[in-house]
């Protein structure tokens, strides 16, 4: 599985959107696979919840949505452009108070560089779903603009 993901990560450079989403049930090894990929490329996966949470804590509530996108871009720009950006723990981006589209934010990062991200929800048919419909953080997106790597 790691070999397939590594090959896909190298091949995706030529696509318009260079986004790979690791999708699978909870506890299926997505984070572990991302870490192994990071070891292959000699880069550390980025814990979005931890890093972004720390930075957003000092940001006024009404500016957090805009700041989340800016901070993620800053982080992506710090990485060497030839290296893929490895993202884990995206749950914070689904916070309703941020009023952002998490998938769109990650897709935009993937226009300029390869991004491999652990999707915190599931794939239902051709839809990427986060949380149950009754949950305030529920989201449902088309998988367009992303390569889904199922685990």
């Amino acid at each position: 599985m790691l070999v397939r993901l590594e090959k896909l990560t190298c091949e995706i450079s030529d696509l318009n959107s260079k986004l790979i989403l690791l999708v699978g049930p909870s506890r299926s090894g997505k984070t572990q696979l991302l870490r192994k990929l990071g070891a292959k490329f000699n880069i550390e996966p980025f814990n979005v919840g931890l890093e972004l949470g720390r930075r957003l804590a000092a940001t006024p509530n009404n500016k957090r949505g805009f700041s989340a996108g800016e901070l993620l871009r800053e982080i992506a720009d710090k990485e060497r452009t030839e290296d893929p950006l490895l993202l884990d723990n995206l749950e914070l981006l689904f916070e309703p108070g941020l009023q952002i589209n998490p998938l769109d934010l990650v897709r935009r990062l993937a226009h300029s560089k390869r991004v491999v991200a652990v999707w915190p929800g599931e794939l239902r048919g051709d839809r990427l779903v986060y949380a149950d419909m009754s949950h305030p953080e529920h989201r449902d997106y088309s998988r367009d603009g992303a390569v889904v790597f199922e685990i």
Side-chain angles (χ1 to χ4, degrees):
M1 192 171 300
L2 176 61
V3 173
R4 262 184 35 234
L5 180 58
E6 186 180 1
K7 186 173 187 263
L8 182 60
T9 305
C10 292
E11 290 172 349
I12 202 166
S13 298
D14 300 331
L15 299 179
N16 187 20
S17 177
K18 301 160 186 54
L19 175 61
I20 298 172
L21 293 176
L22 302 182
V23 182
S26 184
R27 307 251 182 265
S28 61
K30 298 180 297 274
T31 293
Q32 186 180 10
L33 182 60
L34 190 71
R35 286 189 185 132
K36 285 179 181 176
L37 182 66
K40 285 278 189 186
F41 284 102
N42 200 23
I43 50 178
E44 200 62 35
F46 182 74
N47 184 329
V48 174
L50 185 69
E51 293 298 320
L52 210 53
R54 190 180 304 144
R55 293 181 185 199
L56 287 177
T59 307
N61 284 349
N62 62 341
K63 294 191 169 126
R64 286 185 177 169
F66 178 75
S67 294
E70 288 295 304
L71 291 170
L72 259 184
R73 265 188 295 285
E74 253 177 54
I75 290 154
D77 291 345
K78 280 183 190 166
E79 302 296 319
R80 294 187 307 250
T81 47
E82 68 276 5
D83 285 343
L85 180 63
L86 308 180
L87 302 176
D88 199 3
N89 302 101
L90 300 178
E91 291 83 358
L92 176 70
L93 299 177
F94 292 87
E95 177 63 41
L98 289 178
Q99 297 180 337
I100 58 174
N101 177 328
L103 184 57
D104 191 48
L105 191 63
V106 176
R107 276 185 191 134
R108 283 198 307 263
L109 288 174
H111 282 294
S112 56
K113 72 184 313 159
R114 294 174 295 163
V115 176
V116 181
V118 172
W119 180 253
E122 57 189 50
L123 184 68
R124 292 186 192 153
D126 66 342
R127 309 291 298 173
L128 291 160
V129 179
Y130 179 77
D132 289 329
M133 283 182 96
S134 60
H135 198 280
E137 295 178 0
H138 170 76
R139 304 289 172 86
D140 182 328
Y141 302 109
S142 163
R143 66 187 273 175
D144 293 347
V147 174
V148 173
F149 188 91
E150 287 189 82
I151 297 176

